[in-house]
Amino acid sequence: MIVVDNLKKEYKDEGGSTIALRGVSFTIEKGEFVSIIGPSGSGKSTLLHILSFLERPSGGVYTFFGKQIQDMSDLELARVRNKDMGFIFQAFNLLSRLSVFENVQIPLIYSDVDPVKRKKKIEDAVRSVGLEEKLYSEAGTLSGGQKQRIAIARALVNDPGIIFADEPTGNLDSKSGGQVMGILDDLNAAGHTIVLVTHETYTAEFANRIIRLKDGEIESDAKVTNPHRSKDQFIK
């Protein structure tokens, strides 16, 4: 699904340049659950932004489903991002005054799905995170954990091939964080590829594999011997 070869990223401004990634290489297969972990400034957020087409690399090659992103226009990247990728953010990124239904519908606005099928897709996505009773509630009235679960439903509504999660438990208490990680684990078991960025080792160990970054380089890339398989384990 993903092949990254000698990926580099350098940011330039009037004061000079900052190197965020220094030649990173790895592959991610369909159906994997991969955590990218590292301290602040390690390059993990930059890497996630490149993998999810939010930024372009400065060097190296990134191949997504057999296509090199260097050969794709911004419009092509946007289309692939909307069709094949789902996103979960630490800050939820919901529109508070819109209903849950309206928030989850956002990725479908520019799709050609007919209204009846669109409604069912939204209802199914919200049901999958256990919040169907909140379908017409304003997003701003939900708890933090409920907001993140709705953000997951929004990420799922297009049935993407891969889900990118950026610190999805960072603003949550332990119980809500456990529920979110349990949902991600269930999604992976159902066949979704998950790429999770976190600074928390315990959260990272829900994945089957951890890529550890330091100073823009891969420090280690290893399988997780005993991945967490119960959301209750999250509550310490």
Side-chain angles (χ1 to χ4, degrees):
M1 174 178 277
I2 285 176
V3 180
V4 169
D5 184 20
N6 199 31
L7 203 68
K8 299 175 182 177
K9 182 64 179 180
E10 181 178 4
Y11 296 100
K12 295 182 179 180
D13 56 35
E14 294 179 358
S17 64
T18 301
I19 299 175
L21 295 174
R22 304 172 181 271
V24 171
S25 301
F26 58 86
T27 62
I28 295 176
E29 302 294 339
K30 190 177 187 302
E32 278 198 276
F33 187 164
V34 179
S35 287
I36 299 172
I37 190 170
S40 178
S42 62
K44 61 184 186 299
S45 292
T46 296
L47 179 57
L48 183 72
H49 289 166
I50 292 173
L51 294 179
S52 57
F53 296 176
L54 297 176
E55 295 187 41
R56 290 182 183 265
S58 304
V61 178
Y62 172 24
T63 305
F64 184 78
F65 276 113
K67 294 191 70 174
Q68 294 185 10
I69 71 165
Q70 292 89 330
D71 298 332
M72 300 169 69
S73 68
D74 290 343
L75 181 59
E76 286 176 308
L77 292 179
R79 285 173 176 164
V80 172
R81 188 165 56 239
N82 189 58
K83 178 177 179 290
D84 294 328
M85 298 178 177
F87 300 90
I88 305 165
F89 304 96
Q90 180 176 347
F92 318 133
N93 289 4
L94 300 180
L95 298 176
S96 297
R97 301 234 175 144
L98 295 186
S99 69
V100 165
F101 183 96
E102 292 168 320
N103 271 281
V104 175
Q105 179 180 232
I106 288 172
L108 296 173
I109 288 175
Y110 297 107
S111 72
D112 57 1
V113 179
D114 74 69
V116 174
K117 288 184 178 179
R118 176 180 298 190
K119 184 173 185 291
K120 185 177 187 306
K121 285 170 73 74
I122 294 167
E123 291 172 343
D124 288 347
V126 175
R127 188 178 299 110
S128 74
V129 298
L131 287 173
E132 55 268 34
E133 77 280 4
K134 299 290 186 180
L135 190 62
Y136 295 105
S137 299
E138 281 192 8
T141 67
L142 304 180
S143 69
Q146 289 172 334
K147 288 177 180 177
Q148 194 59 294
R149 286 155 66 187
I150 294 305
I152 293 173
R154 181 184 57 195
L156 286 176
V157 75
N158 262 340
D159 193 26
I162 186 166
I163 296 171
F164 294 101
D166 189 1
E167 300 279 6
T169 64
N171 287 338
L172 304 179
D173 58 35
S174 292
K175 181 177 180 180
S176 297
Q179 291 173 332
V180 166
M181 292 310 301
I183 291 169
L184 290 179
D185 186 44
D186 290 343
L187 291 174
N188 178 243
H192 289 277
T193 305
I194 311 285
V195 177
L196 166 74
V197 162
T198 181
H199 67 278
E200 300 171 334
T201 300
Y202 192 86
T203 303
E205 288 175 350
F206 273 80
N208 300 103
R209 174 182 164 204
I210 296 176
I211 298 173
R212 193 177 299 272
L213 295 182
K214 183 178 180 182
D215 298 330
E217 298 179 316
I218 293 179
E219 186 177 42
S220 63
D221 182 350
K223 297 288 185 182
V224 178
T225 305
N226 294 300
H228 301 313
R229 281 294 173 262
S230 169
K231 62 187 178 183
D232 298 326
Q233 289 179 289
F234 197 93
I235 305 170
K236 296 177 284 185

